[in-house]
Amino acid sequence: MTLRVLPSLSALAAAFSLTLATPTTPLHAQNPDIDAAVARVQDSIIRLREHIHQHPELGNREFETAELVANHLRALGFDEVQTGVAHTGVVGILRGGRPGPVVAVRADMDALPVTEDTPYPFKSTVRTTYLGQEVGVSHACGHDIHVAVQLGVASVLAGMRDELPGTVKFIFQPAEEGPPPGEEGGADLMVAEGVLQDPAPSAIFGLHSFAEMEVGKVGFTSGPALAAVDHFKIRIIGQQSHGAAPHLGIDPIVMASQAVTAFQTIRSRNLPPLEPSVVTVGIVRGGTRFNIIPNEVELEGTVRTYNPDVRDAVERRMGEILAGITAAGGGTYELDYDRGTPATINDPALGEQMLPTLEQVLGADNVVELDPTMGGEDFAYYANEIPGFFFRLGQVIPGGTSGGHHTPDFQADNSAVPVGIRAMSNLLLDFLNAVRPASE
């Protein structure tokens, strides 16, 4: 893997107002204590993963998952366990026996309204009502893996807390996929409720399973990694008439069709060719009968960008396009443009410091540099406040397959769990060992 030339480790320490110390264990060396601890806990943690997978819960409704997490942390003797953060979030504080900095690690707990179609004996058969419809519920994005890995890390580090040089804040977050309409939630609300304070971490780590990567591998992107996520809703309003007499009405379907096509010219004709962006209309809704021109049509979709100026330009051009098309067609429109999760930016200096740990633990050939993706992650809200390190965890057994994220046949193998525990435990311990208070 070819890495970019990034600021030095000493520059990172200066940015944190901390100084480097010489650890008792060399940085980036495999830690046999962690390996032994992972071997001891992995079976019980995998059983927890299967339980969480069988009992998925949607955003802001992770009641049983949160209770499981809190009970696990209390059983490990955590110094503090706070529940009810941002509705159903859990925050655990593990203070080591040696002085040192504070570092945070985050896992998201929510599932999706997707009916699972996998061969797993622990597959989800849960059903619930979502937006007025009966839906299946499943962990079709791997958040059950994330929770299990973090519970495993908690077990590993709690078992070596006397030698732990600092404090680890474990953040179990609800509603990463977004809260239900009309509710607040997710990382934004956790930050607003003070999750990065008292104690305040110097950096935060997180991971996400990756359906395109084999177990044993991890992927990382330095700098911009995941896109900003915006959500738009549009009403195009015309005038209803008989389908056989379109001249007596104003056709919103024709105007909506023109708008969908014209939106694609924003990317191709209004933005610099090398600026990443996506404009996608995912819902077109209108009409009640084949021979009636409806009064209105609804459009709904998403915009993905990295550059704030591009974000502004897309929203402006959408409004200009809608104004022109509806004026020409004799109709009107309403545009509700909601700016959601910002872009996730991995701190380059923190990445330079921590990538050698991943290479040492997993092997350099198993650490892959990934291109930025247009997918979004609300880990961005944490990484906008403090340096963040977010990586992807391989989840498919060699020779196996998985459907894409958010699909019924999404499959994350249990064997990804101990890999994630080893990787994250070593990252956290190496960070704590490398950065110490200036007074020490």
Side-chain angles (χ1 to χ4, degrees):
M1 181 180 67
T2 302
L3 297 180
R4 301 172 179 86
V5 178
L6 300 171
S8 67
L9 181 57
S10 59
L12 173 67
F16 287 164
S17 298
L18 302 170
T19 56
L20 298 178
T22 302
T24 55
T25 301
L27 290 182
H28 315 313
Q30 293 196 46
N31 190 311
D33 293 337
I34 289 178
D35 290 346
V38 173
R40 286 194 301 271
V41 305
Q42 66 180 32
D43 289 344
S44 62
I45 296 298
I46 286 172
R47 287 195 295 273
L48 287 178
R49 182 263 165 146
E50 293 179 349
H51 177 86
I52 294 167
H53 190 91
Q54 277 191 310
H55 301 86
E57 298 170 295
L58 297 179
N60 284 358
R61 304 294 185 271
E62 304 92 340
F63 303 112
E64 292 184 11
T65 307
E67 182 179 12
L68 181 154
V69 166
N71 288 341
H72 185 84
L73 301 184
R74 292 186 183 110
L76 293 173
F78 266 51
D79 297 275
E80 299 176 32
V81 178
Q82 183 181 3
T83 60
V85 184
H87 299 299
T88 53
V90 180
V91 178
I93 305 296
L94 180 68
R95 294 188 173 90
R98 297 163 53 198
V102 180
V103 66
V105 59
R106 172 271 206 168
D108 38 6
M109 303 186 295
D110 53 323
L112 287 159
V114 174
T115 301
E116 183 172 352
D117 183 17
T118 72
Y120 290 144
F122 52 89
K123 67 183 290 186
S124 168
T125 58
V126 172
R127 299 191 67 81
T128 191
T129 300
Y130 178 72
L131 300 183
Q133 300 182 36
E134 185 182 354
V135 296
V137 183
S138 68
H139 275 290
C141 202
H143 296 189
D144 55 324
I145 293 285
H146 309 168
V147 174
V149 166
Q150 193 152 298
L151 291 174
V153 173
S155 297
V156 168
L157 296 186
M160 54 194 304
R161 67 186 304 167
D162 289 346
E163 297 302 315
L164 197 65
T167 297
V168 184
K169 176 176 278 192
F170 288 79
I171 299 171
F172 292 86
Q173 178 204 306
E176 188 279 327
E177 301 290 354
E183 298 183 19
E184 293 182 299
D188 190 20
L189 185 57
M190 294 205 83
V191 171
E193 292 190 3
V195 75
L196 296 181
Q197 305 298 324
D198 192 28
S202 299
I204 187 165
F205 291 77
L207 60 78
H208 200 298
S209 63
F210 192 22
E212 299 175 27
M213 183 173 283
E214 291 183 348
V215 169
K217 295 181 180 293
V218 298
F220 176 72
T221 307
S222 182
L226 296 109
V229 180
D230 296 342
H231 177 200
F232 63 83
K233 296 181 179 180
I234 299 166
R235 288 179 66 214
I236 296 181
I237 304 164
Q239 182 175 318
Q240 187 164 316
S241 68
H242 196 293
H247 60 293
L248 300 180
I250 298 172
D251 195 334
I253 291 180
V254 171
M255 292 185 286
S257 301
Q258 293 170 338
V260 171
T261 301
F263 286 164
Q264 303 313 307
T265 66
I266 300 174
R267 177 73 187 88
S268 65
R269 290 296 177 267
N270 300 135
L271 299 175
L274 298 182
E275 282 286 358
S277 62
V278 171
V279 179
T280 294
V281 177
I283 296 175
V284 179
R285 184 186 297 114
T288 56
R289 201 170 191 276
F290 77 98
N291 63 347
I292 298 174
I293 293 173
N295 187 65
E296 65 181 56
V297 170
E298 297 175 355
L299 305 177
E300 191 169 348
T302 187
V303 174
R304 307 296 172 102
T305 57
Y306 277 94
N307 187 325
D309 292 337
V310 171
R311 204 178 196 183
D312 293 340
V314 172
E315 181 178 2
R316 184 185 69 252
R317 283 296 295 147
M318 288 182 70
E320 291 169 351
I321 287 169
L322 289 167
I325 287 174
T326 55
T332 58
Y333 76 94
E334 297 173 0
L335 170 62
D336 179 10
Y337 192 100
D338 178 31
R339 297 197 176 204
T341 304
T344 299
I345 311 297
N346 271 321
D347 184 82
L350 183 60
E352 183 191 30
Q353 179 191 358
M354 303 315 306
L355 278 174
T357 294
L358 290 178
E359 292 179 336
Q360 199 67 42
V361 172
L362 302 176
D365 291 343
N366 292 321
V367 181
V368 181
E369 188 169 14
L370 299 174
D371 291 331
T373 176
M374 300 310 287
E377 235 294 343
D378 74 357
F379 186 83
Y381 287 107
Y382 308 110
N384 278 354
E385 300 292 327
I386 58 176
F389 184 96
F390 191 80
F391 66 96
R392 309 298 290 273
L393 177 69
Q395 66 179 56
V396 182
I397 56 174
T401 60
S402 171
H405 294 262
H406 295 210
T407 66
D409 56 344
F410 175 89
Q411 298 179 58
D413 194 76
N414 277 336
S415 57
V417 172
V419 177
I421 298 172
R422 286 182 64 230
M424 189 63 81
S425 297
N426 277 281
L427 286 169
L428 296 172
L429 190 59
D430 269 7
F431 178 86
L432 293 175
N433 271 314
V435 186
R436 302 290 181 81
S439 60
E440 191 179 15

